[in-house]
Amino acid sequence: MRNSRRNSRNAKTRRSGTENASRNRAPRREPYHSPGAVLVLLAIVFAPTIFFQVSKINVTGDTRYTSEQLIKSTGVKQGDNMFFLDTKQIAADLKDEYPYLDTVKLRRKLPSTLQIEVSDRTAALSIEQNGKYLILDMSGKVLEKTKSAAKGTA
């Protein structure tokens, strides 16, 4: 009998507690989405893809390679999105393909220009090996193999 009284008391307090809580709570409101807010959100999402497209690629710096060679090797085309370019990977790929490149920096000049800044390594040493010459820079990187020694090298 004692247990049944306790259970009935607990049930009453539970019921009355939920009734009071529902009376004090403000009615739930559905979120309001204004058309203007939705348009602003869409503009933020799509603006970089529409407005920041590559239209011009400039190459600056002293290098033995032509601008056309370097631009072609980047794989970047007019109309590519500026923000989706992996500039570090492009710079690393250029340095791998062209051994004389010492530094390569890609910079975005908004809204639509990609700037490639390059500088060349300097040949410092020519080593003869089997009738051919290895041309090396100061750090010991092999720049090329040729039939003759490079001018101004030891």
Side-chain angles (χ1 to χ4, degrees):
M1 193 128 169
R2 285 185 182 173
N3 286 338
S4 64
R5 284 184 186 168
R6 282 186 198 158
N7 289 340
S8 66
R9 267 192 230 152
N10 287 340
K12 285 181 184 177
T13 57
R14 271 189 249 133
R15 247 184 283 135
S16 64
T18 55
E19 288 173 5
N20 288 337
S22 64
R23 280 189 220 144
N24 296 336
R25 235 185 261 161
R28 268 193 171 177
R29 295 183 185 172
E30 293 297 319
Y32 176 71
H33 300 288
S34 73
V38 172
L39 288 175
V40 168
L41 181 63
L42 288 173
I44 290 170
V45 170
F46 289 111
T49 60
I50 295 170
F51 297 113
F52 299 107
Q53 295 178 351
V54 175
S55 66
K56 188 175 182 182
I57 303 173
N58 293 331
V59 178
T60 60
D62 293 328
T63 183
R64 64 180 40 222
Y65 308 109
T66 66
S67 296
E68 291 78 23
Q69 285 177 307
L70 296 173
I71 291 169
K72 185 177 179 183
S73 294
T74 64
V76 177
K77 298 177 187 87
Q78 286 190 349
D80 286 353
N81 188 288
M82 297 279 282
F83 294 108
F84 296 146
L85 297 176
D86 187 354
T87 56
K88 290 181 182 177
Q89 185 61 50
I90 293 170
D93 291 345
L94 285 173
K95 288 175 86 173
D96 288 344
E97 188 172 343
Y98 299 102
Y100 273 92
L101 289 180
D102 185 26
T103 61
V104 178
K105 293 180 185 175
L106 278 80
R107 298 182 187 208
R108 297 175 182 99
K109 289 191 167 186
L110 299 178
S112 62
T113 301
L114 181 66
Q115 182 77 34
I116 303 172
E117 299 172 5
V118 295
S119 66
D120 267 356
R121 295 178 182 271
T122 304
L125 182 64
S126 297
I127 299 175
E128 184 181 3
Q129 184 180 30
N130 299 330
K132 294 191 177 189
Y133 287 88
L134 296 175
I135 311 299
L136 292 91
D137 70 349
M138 289 298 289
S139 67
K141 179 180 178 179
V142 176
L143 301 176
E144 66 179 311
K145 294 178 184 178
T146 64
K147 293 180 180 179
S148 61
K151 293 180 184 175
T153 60

